[in-house]
Amino acid sequence: LKDYVQDDVQVRQMLNALHCLRRAEARDRLQWLVHVDSDELFDPGARSIHDHFRYLEASRFDWFCYHNFEAVPEVAYQTEVDPFLTVSLFKRAACLVPDAAKAVSETWRARNFGIDPFLFYANGKTSVRCGVGACPVSVHAWGRKDPLRGGTNDPRHKALALDASVACRVLHYACCSFAQLRRKYETLGAFPNSCVAGTVHHEPDTFHCKCRD
């Protein structure tokens, strides 16, 4: 990945995650690491965060993928604001949307040129057990040469073992003002439709690519 580090944000995120994991293993003696960005919070649900990771420590899982909620800006701020103080509404992960409300998602798509209700990622974020030889295979998943034992609370991830008793989620406060949205895409510049050495592809009609264009 080092050949792509200068031009690829996701590659830098993956290498940062790997650096943090190796540091946690060698220096800080941690048992679990959660990979979240500076615009995200980890919500452990009704349990304390200590109870949750004690549960994972005793489980069979080497890594766990949590569904994510996406923040909904509530005021059309023109200047940058602290989203952690100004946002209280979130779009639920698709697996948690009641059937009676799914028609709203279709209405959204029809009114917004086919764009999904989630404007950014919707496939969750992860925690990983330290000391099992894991490496990031994306910004959302971990792996190694022999398979890791992965779990999730999102039934859309068919390759992972489902544990619906886990109520944790990642809250994504993405671009909660116009100023933050503009700064993000000015910083990203004219990024290509593929990244991570061509393994991840952005469809041209997504919100992400439309903001670039």
Side-chain angles (χ1 to χ4, degrees), residues 25 29 43 50 108-109 138 161 192:
E25 293 169 337
R29 300 181 183 275
D43 180 1
H50 301 288
W108 167 280
R109 289 188 181 91
S138 74

Side-chain angles (χ1 to χ4, degrees), residues 67-88:
H67 44 58
N68 65 284
F69 287 19
E70 187 175 274
V72 179
E74 297 169 46
V75 177
Y77 294 105
Q78 295 298 311
T79 58
E80 294 202 27
V81 296
D82 185 341
F84 303 124
L85 298 177
T86 58
V87 172
S88 61

